[in-house]
Amino acid sequence: MNPVVVYTKPLCPYCSRALSLLEKKGAMVTDVSAAYDKDKRAEMLSKSNGKTTYPQIFIGDTHVGGYDDLSALDRDGKLDPLLNG
């Protein structure tokens, strides 16, 4: 299974939904709280080409985007293949 990194912020409902969906899929998720950590936020911005919204989700080398993008992948049957490499 591909590694998953999710940049989150506290009390973010979209972050919670993304983490919950990924957990249901059995993904091994690294949750990076980036909202109040200058270095982690800069890392997120760099990896996501300047995207500032939370969450920012990465599966392997693929930048998925946010929760809506993750949900769309799941709905279209494309999330499981991406997670499983």
Side-chain angles (χ1 to χ4, degrees), residues 29-43:
V29 178
T30 301
D31 179 355
V32 180
S33 184
Y36 304 113
D37 183 321
K38 183 177 81 171
D39 294 332
K40 294 296 182 190
R41 182 166 168 76
E43 178 182 292

Side-chain angles (χ1 to χ4, degrees), residues 20-85:
S20 178
L21 175 57
L22 290 164
E23 181 180 309
K24 287 178 189 174
K25 296 289 182 176
M28 299 294 288
V29 178
T30 301
D31 179 355
V32 180
S33 184
Y36 304 113
D37 183 321
K38 183 177 81 171
D39 294 332
K40 294 296 182 190
R41 182 166 168 76
E43 178 182 292
M44 179 189 86
L45 292 171
S46 174
K47 288 176 67 175
S48 68
N49 294 316
K51 302 284 185 189
T52 59
T53 58
Y54 290 94
Q56 288 299 315
I57 304 161
F58 298 84
I59 300 175
D61 294 329
T62 302
H63 176 222
V64 171
Y67 171 73
D68 290 338
D69 303 302
L70 182 72
S71 180
L73 283 175
D74 188 39
R75 185 177 53 251
D76 295 341
K78 297 178 181 175
L79 180 57
D80 289 336
L82 185 58
L83 286 169
N84 293 316

